């Protein structure tokens, strides 16, 4: 799946969406435990995301029902991190 990059207040937001893994570490796309987990990579616009970005995880106790919902949650979480509204997560040193 192609992940779209969004920009917000001088930062690039890279949603990282992946199939949910079971406790045994196996991915299941079509079972009761199916769904998606997500994280988000944030870097300055124009920076190399792999070298100059940081991955932020967010606690979501149930899998997202679809990749689109997970991607939207990534963008929302990233904007909250950038705005300084998430305790313990900051982009001030990027």
């Amino acid at each position: 799946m192609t992940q779209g990059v969004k920009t917000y207040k001088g930062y690039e937001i890279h949603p990282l969406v992946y199939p949910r893994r079971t406790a045994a570490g196996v991915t299941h796309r079509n079972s009761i435990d199916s769904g998606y987990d997500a994280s988000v990579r944030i870097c300055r616009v124009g920076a190399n995301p792999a070298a100059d970005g940081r991955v932020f995880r967010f606690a979501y106790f149930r899998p997202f029902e679809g990749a689109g919902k997970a991607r939207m949650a990534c963008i929302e979480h990233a904007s909250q991190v950038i705005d300084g509204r998430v305790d313990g997560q900051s982009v001030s040193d990027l």
Side-chain angles (χ1 to χ4, degrees):
M1 168 184 352
T2 302
Q3 301 291 333
V5 176
K6 299 290 183 185
T7 58
Y8 181 72
K9 294 186 178 181
Y11 292 92
E12 290 181 0
I13 299 170
H14 300 260
L16 306 172
V17 178
Y18 37 92
R20 177 88 170 188
R21 291 189 181 272
T22 65
V26 179
T27 60
H28 292 282
R29 293 180 190 261
N30 297 317
S31 71
I32 294 173
D33 294 329
S34 68
Y36 294 87
D37 287 325
S39 299
V40 63
R41 182 183 304 271
I42 302 173
C43 65
R44 290 274 183 190
V45 170
N48 177 351
D52 301 322
R54 183 173 309 123
V55 174
F56 295 89
R57 296 190 58 114
F58 52 100
Y60 192 77
F61 301 107
R62 299 182 66 208
F64 292 99
E65 293 176 5
K69 288 183 180 182
R71 186 176 175 282
M72 288 187 294
C74 287
I75 293 167
E76 176 62 26
H77 183 73
S79 65
Q80 290 178 3
V81 170
I82 293 166
D83 288 341
R85 294 185 287 159
V86 179
D87 290 334
Q89 296 185 351
S90 173
V91 294
S92 63
D93 60 341
L94 291 180

